[in-house]
Amino acid sequence: MNFLSYVILGGLSYGAGWLIRTKVLDETTPDEPYSLKHPAILGYMGGFFIIMLIISWLIGRYLLGHITIDLPFIIVNSLVATFVFSFGVNPEKSRYDLPK
């Protein structure tokens, strides 16, 4: 994949996180404030990672022509996309607190 493909994939990942934050999370009032440690956000991030595993396999198989399963490409691509997704889904405006 070239640089432009990764920029587009990152933009789509961020957009998916932003869409979930604005259309799902902002319309409900939780018992505890949303942060990256909140179970709902962790669930969305886990689901997005699984979806990205499948999408990364499809990209590798059909767009890049990898005959066998390219695990390093699939895992790294999915982790990076999930990291970018976390910026979009993060409701904290002033800082980015990573879970400890």
Side-chain angles (χ1 to χ4, degrees):
M1 288 179 58
N2 58 18
F3 181 73
L4 181 62
S5 300
Y6 281 112
V7 170
I8 292 171
L9 185 63
L12 292 174
S13 298
Y14 182 85
W18 177 82
L19 187 68
I20 287 174
R21 180 172 44 104
T22 57
K23 299 295 182 187
V24 177
L25 297 178
D26 285 349
E27 294 184 1
T28 60
T29 54
D31 296 336
E32 61 183 74
Y34 286 121
S35 68
L36 285 179
K37 301 172 192 172
H38 195 276
I41 291 184
L42 290 175
Y44 282 119
M45 287 176 61
F48 185 79
F49 179 73
I50 292 170
I51 291 169
M52 279 309 300
L53 285 174
I54 296 167
I55 290 174
S56 296
W57 172 75
L58 291 171
I59 288 172
R61 176 69 177 105
Y62 295 107
L63 292 179
L64 300 177
H66 299 160
I67 303 301
T68 59
I69 295 178
D70 188 6
L71 281 180
F73 170 76
I74 293 171
I75 292 172
V76 170
N77 198 37
S78 299
L79 284 174
V80 170
T82 304
F83 181 70
V84 173
F85 173 81
S86 72
F87 279 100
V89 79
N90 184 17
E92 299 169 357
K93 310 285 190 266
S94 63
R95 63 187 189 282
Y96 192 81
D97 289 335
L98 294 174
K100 295 178 183 177

